[in-house]
């Protein structure tokens, strides 16, 4: 690695760490119709899941020359933009195509596996009692979704690729993983939990994308039709999970009904965003 790349890596890491600390203390996302209010973690949640075609996602991926995750981030950015644009239009009674206010800060907290060797090989070492360690080795990274109404739907993916490429040149996830261990040891689990709660409260959505089995699997001879993971209890109004299984991607949406009273329309925005991207390529 050249000296210039090392300097860029250090600079990006420094900026990301400062933003992470700021988010854990005072830096909040824009108050949008998707931002949960105080106490949202205790509200009743509505869980909805929707199938997306993995072949369609791969078609877009191959046409643009990116990854599946890049496409999913682009779809999410497009869907959230469409939903917010419609909600702002309904609130203002406007009929324009573009109702979004400028410079919306809408971010997600993403979990990143910081193991050097993830997957089956590390698991095999664990089973043999090798050098791999049990337990989670997960760091946080904060990703900002572009929120805008682009004429070309593929621009959502391009913007997402820029953000993702920038995050790849940063050690933010490793820093947050290491700092969480230090904070727990020095200040205790309550302080660490309070900082984590504040960070989640100051961002808007949770987002994850997990690659699942490519062939049908079963549980005690009962075939699994789909896999739809989700969570409950964290202080955010919107949680998004993408879970691939065989030739489909399951979109799992968990929302606070007081914040998002029309979750089916939000799911439809994801479906429509993928369709527009497929048609555009």
């Amino acid at each position: 690695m050249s000296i210039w790349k090392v300097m860029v890596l250090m600079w990006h890491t420094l900026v990301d760490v400062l933003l992470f600390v700021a988010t854990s203390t005072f830096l909040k996302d824009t108050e949008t119709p998707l931002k949960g209010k105080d106490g949202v973690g205790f509200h009743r949640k509505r869980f909805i899941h929707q199938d997306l075609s993995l072949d369609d996602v791969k078609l877009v991926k191959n046409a643009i020359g990116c990854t599946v995750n890049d496409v999913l981030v682009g779809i999410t950015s497009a869907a959230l933009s469409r939903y917010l644009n419609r909600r702002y239009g309904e609130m203002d009674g406007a009929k324009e195509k573009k109702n979004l206010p400028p410079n919306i800060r809408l971010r997600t907290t993403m979990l990143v596996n910081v193991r050097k060797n993830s997957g089956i090989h590390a698991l095999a070492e664990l089973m043999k009692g090798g050098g791999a360690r049990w337990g989670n080795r997960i760091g946080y990274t904060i990703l900002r979704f572009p929120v805008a109404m682009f004429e070309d739907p593929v621009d959502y993916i391009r913007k997402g690729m820029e953000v993702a490429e920038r995050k790849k040149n940063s050690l933010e996830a490793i820093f947050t993983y290491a700092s969480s261990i230090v904070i727990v040891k020095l200040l205790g689990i309550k302080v660490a939990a309070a900082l984590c709660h504040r960070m989640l409260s100051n961002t808007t959505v949770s987002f994850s994308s997990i690659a699942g089995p490519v062939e049908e699997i079963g549980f005690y001879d009962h075939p699994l039709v789909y896999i739809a993971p989700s969570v409950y209890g964290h202080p955010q109004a919107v949680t998004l999970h993408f879970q691939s299984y065989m030739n489909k991607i399951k979109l799992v949406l968990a929302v606070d009904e007081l914040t998002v009273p029309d979750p089916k329309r939000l799911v439809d925005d994801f479906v429509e965003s993928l369709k527009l991207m497929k048609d555009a390529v």
Side-chain angles (χ1 to χ4, degrees), residues 7 17-18 47-48 76 91 149 175 195 199 232 251 272:
M7 293 178 62
V17 167
L18 291 176
F47 296 89
I48 300 177
T76 302
M91 291 164 57
M149 296 304 294
F175 171 84
L195 290 173
M199 178 194 62
Y232 173 81
L251 164 65
E272 182 65 18

Side-chain angles (χ1 to χ4, degrees), residues 88-142:
Y88 277 116
E90 292 171 351
M91 291 164 57
D92 299 335
K95 297 182 179 180
E96 290 82 2
K97 291 184 178 180
K98 297 183 179 181
N99 304 304
L100 292 173
N103 301 321
I104 290 179
R105 182 192 297 118
L106 194 156
R107 298 173 298 168
T108 179
T109 47
M110 297 180 62
L111 297 177
V112 179
N113 183 5
V114 298
R115 288 184 179 275
K116 293 182 179 179
N117 298 312
S118 60
I120 189 66
H121 298 292
L123 180 59
E125 291 180 8
L126 290 173
M127 300 301 291
K128 294 178 182 178
R133 296 171 56 188
W134 286 101
N136 292 327
R137 295 175 64 86
I138 295 174
Y140 286 100
T141 185
I142 297 177

Side-chain angles (χ1 to χ4, degrees), residues 229-278:
S230 193
V231 295
Y232 173 81
H234 56 296
Q236 290 174 324
V238 180
T239 302
L240 300 165
H241 289 285
F242 289 99
Q243 173 71 59
S244 68
Y245 178 48
M246 294 193 291
N247 63 338
K248 295 180 180 179
I249 294 180
K250 180 68 74 173
L251 164 65
V252 187
L253 185 67
V255 301
D256 168 33
E257 290 184 301
L258 297 179
T259 306
V260 184
D262 50 353
K264 186 62 172 65
R265 296 177 72 184
L266 179 55
V267 170
D268 291 341
D269 286 330
F270 279 86
V271 176
E272 182 65 18
S273 296
L274 175 58
K275 180 180 181 300
L276 292 174
M277 291 176 184
K278 178 185 175 183

Side-chain angles (χ1 to χ4, degrees), residues 12-258:
H12 287 170
T13 301
L14 176 62
V15 172
D16 288 343
V17 167
L18 291 176
L19 288 174
F20 188 89
V21 173
T23 302
S24 299
T25 52
F26 65 89
L27 184 62
K28 297 182 179 181
D29 278 5
T30 305
E31 293 292 336
T32 68
L34 290 173
K35 187 76 168 63
K37 306 300 182 183
D38 291 340
V40 67
F42 300 101
H43 295 172
R44 187 175 68 174
K45 294 293 192 299
R46 172 67 63 89
F47 296 89
I48 300 177
H49 57 85
Q50 172 70 44
D51 285 335
L52 302 176
S53 172
L54 181 58
D55 291 335
D56 288 349
V57 172
K58 289 183 177 180
L59 175 66
V60 176
K61 172 187 80 76
N62 294 332
I64 299 176
C66 60
T67 66
V68 169
N69 277 339
D70 290 333
V71 177
L72 296 180
V73 170
I75 292 172
T76 302
S77 178
L80 296 181
S81 297
R82 288 169 58 89
Y83 181 83
L84 286 175
N85 185 67
R86 183 172 58 250
R87 286 286 299 272
Y88 277 116
E90 292 171 351
M91 291 164 57
D92 299 335
K95 297 182 179 180
E96 290 82 2
K97 291 184 178 180
K98 297 183 179 181
N99 304 304
L100 292 173
N103 301 321
I104 290 179
R105 182 192 297 118
L106 194 156
R107 298 173 298 168
T108 179
T109 47
M110 297 180 62
L111 297 177
V112 179
N113 183 5
V114 298
R115 288 184 179 275
K116 293 182 179 179
N117 298 312
S118 60
I120 189 66
H121 298 292
L123 180 59
E125 291 180 8
L126 290 173
M127 300 301 291
K128 294 178 182 178
R133 296 171 56 188
W134 286 101
N136 292 327
R137 295 175 64 86
I138 295 174
Y140 286 100
T141 185
I142 297 177
L143 184 71
R144 182 169 179 171
F145 285 116
V147 178
M149 296 304 294
F150 297 126
E151 296 295 334
D152 185 357
V154 180
D155 283 344
Y156 291 103
I157 300 177
R158 297 191 181 104
K159 293 293 183 181
M161 290 172 62
E162 293 177 4
V163 176
E165 190 63 28
R166 160 68 178 77
K167 285 293 183 178
K168 291 176 183 177
N169 291 316
S170 172
L171 301 177
E172 178 185 7
I174 295 177
F175 171 84
T176 55
Y177 168 72
S179 62
S180 65
I181 296 177
V182 173
I183 291 174
V184 169
K185 289 183 177 180
L186 295 181
L187 302 177
I189 189 65
K190 290 185 178 180
V191 174
L195 290 173
C196 182
H197 185 276
R198 178 67 65 85
M199 178 194 62
L200 292 172
S201 299
N202 288 346
T203 54
T204 303
V205 302
S206 286
F207 173 94
S208 73
S209 171
I210 303 175
V214 296
E215 297 179 353
E216 185 181 75
I217 60 175
F219 184 73
Y220 284 93
D221 295 328
H222 295 281
L224 291 183
V225 178
Y226 63 86
I227 304 174
S230 193
V231 295
Y232 173 81
H234 56 296
Q236 290 174 324
V238 180
T239 302
L240 300 165
H241 289 285
F242 289 99
Q243 173 71 59
S244 68
Y245 178 48
M246 294 193 291
N247 63 338
K248 295 180 180 179
I249 294 180
K250 180 68 74 173
L251 164 65
V252 187
L253 185 67
V255 301
D256 168 33
E257 290 184 301
L258 297 179

